[in-house]
Structure formats: structure tokens, C-alpha cells
């Protein structure tokens, strides 16, 4: 897929206030600092469409970006902050959950995982929750330029093994680097394939 245009549309904390034009949506979510903003900017070839934030918990909004006047790329807040209060965190999780559960145009959620880390409880729990709620998702491993290919294979294998304890089959898995743009075509082509089915 060629990205011809990418523009910010709207931010909010209520899925009911998201655009009502029915365009299909693809959401991106992950722990803060996983490389979500960098990936969104890499995919859309924009320097700062998504704000790369050094401060965990700063961008707690559902952000819609309109791509090619055809679909929305949805930047969801990072989950699992250590630095926000328990109350703020609960509210924050509820509105993301409400969006993921109720948002009809949402076709797929990309769960971002740091390729340098062993399987993380919070990510596994989030994906299990998606499974329970029947929210379709794919896994994107980020920052693969930061490790050797053998380390990457080892970490991917550990993740797959852990997932297969709970799942009969694995979701689509992508490996990416916002530095080298590795994985860009594969992710965009995957989105394009799903768009063809609607
Ligand atoms: P977010 O909080 O998930 O939006 O993460 P950011 O996109 O702000 O990235 C967090 C940090 O990781 C920043 O310092 C980025 O420069 C760095 N980063 C993100 N993606 C990559 C990548 O693919 N390769 C490398 N080497 N660094 C990355």
C-alpha cells in the first residue's frame, strides 16, 4: 500500500465521539516506550504525526489519523504505566476497553511488543483479554535493529512458546524497525489485504 496522505483527525477518550463516517480502523497499542509513535511515523512516512513522548502516561487519548482518505490509523494510549496513580490508570483502561469492545469499524488491533524483552506478563494478559472479548489482533515486534538476528529468533521463539500455552494458533506476527523501516511493507500490505475484504 502506498501512503498518499496521512492527517490527524480527532482525539478523545470516548469511542462514541470517534468519527462516524464508517471508515475502517486499525488500532495500535502497547506499553509506553515500546516504539508505537516511531512506528506510526515510520508507517505513514511522517516525522511527527504521532507524538513520541519521553513521559509515560502523557498521551492518554484515542487519536485518529486518516490515511489515504480511506481508513483510520488509531493511536491508542500505552498501557501499564508505573507512574500514574491507580485511579487514573483504571479510568484510562476502561475507555480503551470500551473502544476496543464497542468500536464497530475496528478491523484489527496491532499489539506492539519490544523485541528485546522476554514475554511480559502485562502484554500476555492484554492479548488474553483480546481473545476473551474476541477482538482480532496481530503482534508487532518493535526495535529489531537493536538486537542480533539470533537474539531476535530466540525472543520470538520464547514469545510463541508462551502464547501457545494459551492459544491453539498464533496471530499474525510482524517484526519491525522504525530505524531501518524493516517490516513497513509487510504491515501495510496486511492492512491492505484486510481492507479488500470489507
Ligand atoms: P512510544 O512511547 O511507544 O510511542 O515510543 P516511542 O516511539 O516514543 O519510542 C520510545 C524510544 O524508543 C525512543 O527513544 C525511540 O527513538 C526509540 N525507538 C522506537 N522505535 C525504535 C526502533 O525501531 N529502533 C530503535 N533503535 N529505537 C527505537
Amino acid at each position: 500500500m502506498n501512503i498518499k496522505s496521512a492527517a490527524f483527525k480527532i482525539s478523545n477518550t470516548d469511542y462514541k465521539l470517534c468519527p462516524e463516517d464508517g471508515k475502517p480502523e486499525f488500532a495500535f497499542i502497547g506499553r509506553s516506550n515500546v516504539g508505537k509513535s516511531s512506528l506510526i511515523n515510520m508507517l505513514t512516512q511522517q516525522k511527527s504525526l504521532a507524538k513520541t513522548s519521553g513521559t509515560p502516561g502523557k498521551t492518554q487519548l484515542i487519536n485518529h489519523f486518516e490515511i489515504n482518505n480511506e481508513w483510520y490509523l488509531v493511536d491508542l494510549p500505552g498501557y501499564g504505566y508505573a507512574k500514574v496513580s491507580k485511579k487514573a490508570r483504571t479510568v484510562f483502561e476502561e475507555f480503551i476497553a470500551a473502544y476496543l469492545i464497542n468500536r464497530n469499524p475496528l478491523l484489527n488491533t496491532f499489539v506492539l511488543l519490544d523485541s528485546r524483552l522476554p514475554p511480559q506478563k502485562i502484554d500476555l494478559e492484554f492479548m488474553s483479554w483480546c481473545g476473551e472479548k474476541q477482538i482480532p489482533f496481530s503482534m508487532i515486534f518493535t526495535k529489531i535493529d537493536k538486537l542480533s538476528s539470533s537474539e531476535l529468533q530466540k525472543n520470538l521463539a520464547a514469545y510463541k512458546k508462551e502464547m501457545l500455552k494459551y492459544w491453539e494458533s498464533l496471530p499474525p506476527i510482524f517484526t519491525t524497525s522504525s530505524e531501518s523501516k524493516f517490516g513497513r511493507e509487510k504491515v501495510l500490505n496486511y492492512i491492505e489485504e484486510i481492507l479488500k475484504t470489507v
Side-chain angles (χ1 to χ4, degrees):
M1 181 196 299
N2 287 329
I3 302 294
K4 290 169 234 136
S5 62
F8 171 74
K9 182 86 175 180
I10 194 168
S11 287
N12 54 62
T13 55
D14 183 351
Y15 76 91
K16 292 184 194 129
L17 302 174
C18 292
E20 287 192 34
D21 53 21
K23 285 178 183 146
E25 295 183 359
F26 293 84
F28 290 74
I29 194 166
R31 289 203 303 163
S32 185
N33 225 33
V34 71
K36 180 168 53 73
S37 311
S38 304
L39 181 79
I40 291 170
N41 293 334
M42 183 273 265
L43 291 173
T44 55
Q45 285 177 316
Q46 304 267 320
K47 277 209 180 82
S48 53
L49 191 65
K51 303 268 181 297
T52 46
S53 67
T55 317
K58 209 171 136 196
T59 48
Q60 299 194 358
L61 291 166
I62 302 169
N63 299 300
H64 276 66
F65 300 107
E66 192 169 4
I67 312 294
N68 293 350
N69 298 317
E70 191 190 359
W71 57 279
Y72 288 112
L73 187 160
V74 182
D75 181 8
L76 294 175
Y79 52 70
Y81 302 125
K83 283 185 189 166
V84 295
S85 73
K86 206 166 180 189
K87 188 158 175 252
R89 181 168 157 170
T90 309
V91 170
F92 157 70
E93 284 170 356
E94 271 167 18
F95 79 79
I96 299 177
Y99 167 84
L100 290 168
I101 292 169
N102 299 307
R103 186 68 182 159
N104 288 330
L106 178 63
L107 298 187
N108 184 61
T109 296
F110 291 101
V111 180
L112 274 56
L113 306 152
D114 191 323
S115 63
R116 296 170 299 175
L117 303 178
Q120 302 288 298
K121 193 162 174 265
I122 188 165
D123 295 319
L124 294 166
E125 282 175 1
F126 178 74
M127 290 186 282
S128 292
W129 179 84
C130 288
E132 271 167 38
K133 303 288 180 197
Q134 299 193 313
I135 296 162
F137 70 92
S138 314
M139 298 161 78
I140 294 188
F141 287 90
T142 60
K143 309 189 189 182
I144 65 157
D145 59 285
K146 288 206 174 197
L147 69 183
S148 71
S149 70
S150 62
E151 284 170 325
L152 176 64
Q153 291 316 316
K154 198 182 99 206
N155 288 355
L156 288 179
Y159 240 110
K160 288 177 189 171
K161 192 175 166 197
E162 195 60 35
M163 293 288 285
L164 288 170
K165 286 184 187 166
Y166 313 98
W167 301 80
E168 282 180 19
S169 59
L170 294 169
I173 296 175
F174 299 92
T175 48
T176 62
S177 163
S178 300
E179 286 286 309
S180 72
K181 303 199 173 178
F182 185 92
R184 183 173 182 272
E185 287 299 307
K186 285 211 167 124
V187 173
L188 291 178
N189 288 344
Y190 179 67
I191 292 173
E192 192 168 30
E193 286 308 309
I194 297 176
L195 285 173
K196 280 184 196 159
T197 66
V198 294

